[in-house]
């Protein structure tokens, strides 16, 4: 099993969710986060004053999938979340040691 963690632009969330649902992803966790990468934040003007925004709003997706689905999920996120502009995000893939569905007691792939 794999745990896929993706940071994407907030306005891409619904499009990414629909694309992942279409390929068979049955669930994900979504968190609103702030962060920065190579863009290192930016400056904005508010009421005539310029100030630095060091952290940019992002959405973090956490998706647990079987090993056989991991590559397709990563490709789908990459293709769907891309805007070809700086700050599109990152996708990380980690090995997932175990999973438990609390309601039924199913474990590992059966719990996904």
């Amino acid at each position: 099993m794999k745990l896929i963690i993706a940071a994407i632009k907030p306005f891409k969330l619904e499009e990414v969710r629909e694309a992942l649902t279409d390929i068979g992803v049955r669930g994900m966790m979504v968190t609103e986060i702030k962060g920065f990468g190579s863009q290192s934040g930016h400056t904005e003007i508010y009421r005539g004053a310029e100030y630095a925004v060091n952290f940019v709003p992002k959405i973090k997706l956490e998706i647990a999938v079987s090993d056989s689905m991991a590559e397709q999920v990563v490709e789908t996120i990459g293709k769907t979340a891309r805007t070809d502009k700086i700050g599109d995000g990152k996708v990380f893939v980690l090995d997932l040691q175990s999973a438990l569905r609390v309601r039924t007691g199913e474990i590992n792939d059966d719990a996904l």
Side-chain angles (χ1 to χ4, degrees), residues 9-22:
K9 290 184 174 184
F11 69 89
K12 284 292 197 170
L13 175 60
E14 190 58 28
E15 188 178 344
V16 169
R17 187 200 62 79
E18 287 176 7
L20 290 172
T21 301
D22 289 346

Side-chain angles (χ1 to χ4, degrees), residues 3-111:
L3 177 62
I4 299 170
I5 301 172
I8 63 172
K9 290 184 174 184
F11 69 89
K12 284 292 197 170
L13 175 60
E14 190 58 28
E15 188 178 344
V16 169
R17 187 200 62 79
E18 287 176 7
L20 290 172
T21 301
D22 289 346
I23 64 166
V25 171
R26 298 186 328 180
M28 68 181 72
M29 293 177 279
V30 178
T31 310
E32 292 181 13
I33 61 171
K34 292 183 181 188
F36 71 92
S38 55
Q39 82 265 29
S40 299
H42 61 281
T43 59
E44 289 185 1
I45 297 176
Y46 178 71
R47 294 190 176 178
E50 186 173 323
Y51 65 98
V53 177
N54 294 322
F55 294 99
V56 180
K58 299 282 185 191
I59 295 292
K60 179 170 82 169
L61 306 176
E62 296 174 274
I63 308 159
V65 296
S66 63
D67 289 335
S68 61
M69 274 194 78
E71 188 175 330
Q72 185 180 15
V73 169
V74 171
E75 288 174 4
T76 300
I77 294 169
K79 180 176 59 178
T80 310
R82 175 176 287 143
T83 66
D84 290 323
K85 294 190 168 84
I86 196 163
D88 274 352
K90 295 267 193 306
V91 178
F92 305 101
V93 180
L94 292 79
D95 287 323
L96 187 58
Q97 187 173 343
S98 65
L100 167 71
R101 183 185 308 251
V102 175
R103 179 178 57 85
T104 63
E106 294 169 299
I107 58 170
N108 299 333
D109 282 333
D110 293 333

